[in-house]
Amino acid sequence: DVQLVESGGGSVQAGGSLRLSCAVSGFALNRGCLGWVRQAPGKERERVALIVRDGRSNVAESLKGRFTISGDNAKNTLYLQMNMLETEDTAMYYCAASLASDNWCYENGAAAFTTWGQGTQVTVS
């Protein structure tokens, strides 16, 4: 079974940084699509970042320059580096995975993912 376990969330002041980690088991990073999705209270899910089999990555346009997604194949761990955090970044952040094609993952946002972690809360004040 695929399991995704997030860590690294917490409370931070605006302008600060956090790095989220997602330990992946049952699924090699280069065998599918992986990403981060966030959801704030009262708002829809938003795909924050995506990385696909060949290492290409994509970050939501509004977050480019502040957020970076990366993966460590040796550790089978996915990361999200978040810099210059803003209060609007406050949300639950989920690690997610899919075995769908890279194109499907690119084109379908959060809906492309079929396996989810339990989430880690990020609060920016």
Side-chain angles (χ1 to χ4, degrees):
D1 288 349
V2 177
Q3 289 192 333
L4 309 172
V5 179
E6 303 97 332
S7 60
S11 297
V12 64
Q13 290 189 337
S17 298
L18 283 174
R19 188 176 80 157
L20 306 184
S21 299
C22 174
V24 181
S25 59
F27 182 96
L29 296 192
N30 59 4
R31 295 298 299 274
C33 311
L34 287 146
W36 292 93
V37 174
R38 70 183 183 184
Q39 187 165 24
K43 294 188 177 181
E44 294 188 357
R45 292 183 312 178
E46 174 190 19
R47 190 180 75 190
V48 171
L50 167 73
I51 191 165
V52 296
R53 289 165 178 80
D54 62 7
R56 288 179 296 148
S57 63
N58 175 270
V59 174
E61 195 65 33
S62 63
L63 302 175
K64 286 181 179 178
R66 298 195 298 121
F67 286 22
T68 304
I69 187 171
S70 63
D72 184 328
N73 289 340
K75 296 181 178 180
N76 222 43
T77 300
L78 183 72
Y79 301 101
L80 182 69
Q81 178 68 43
M82 305 186 293
N83 298 327
M84 296 182 289
L85 283 161
E86 304 171 354
T87 55
E88 292 78 13
D89 296 320
T90 294
M92 185 71 79
Y93 284 71
Y94 298 91
C95 177
S98 173
L99 290 174
S101 70
D102 293 353
N103 285 343
W104 179 265
C105 291
Y106 265 105
E107 294 169 4
N108 289 278
F113 297 118
T114 55
T115 302
W116 298 78
Q118 82 286 354
T120 186
Q121 177 68 37
V122 171
T123 302
V124 185
S125 60

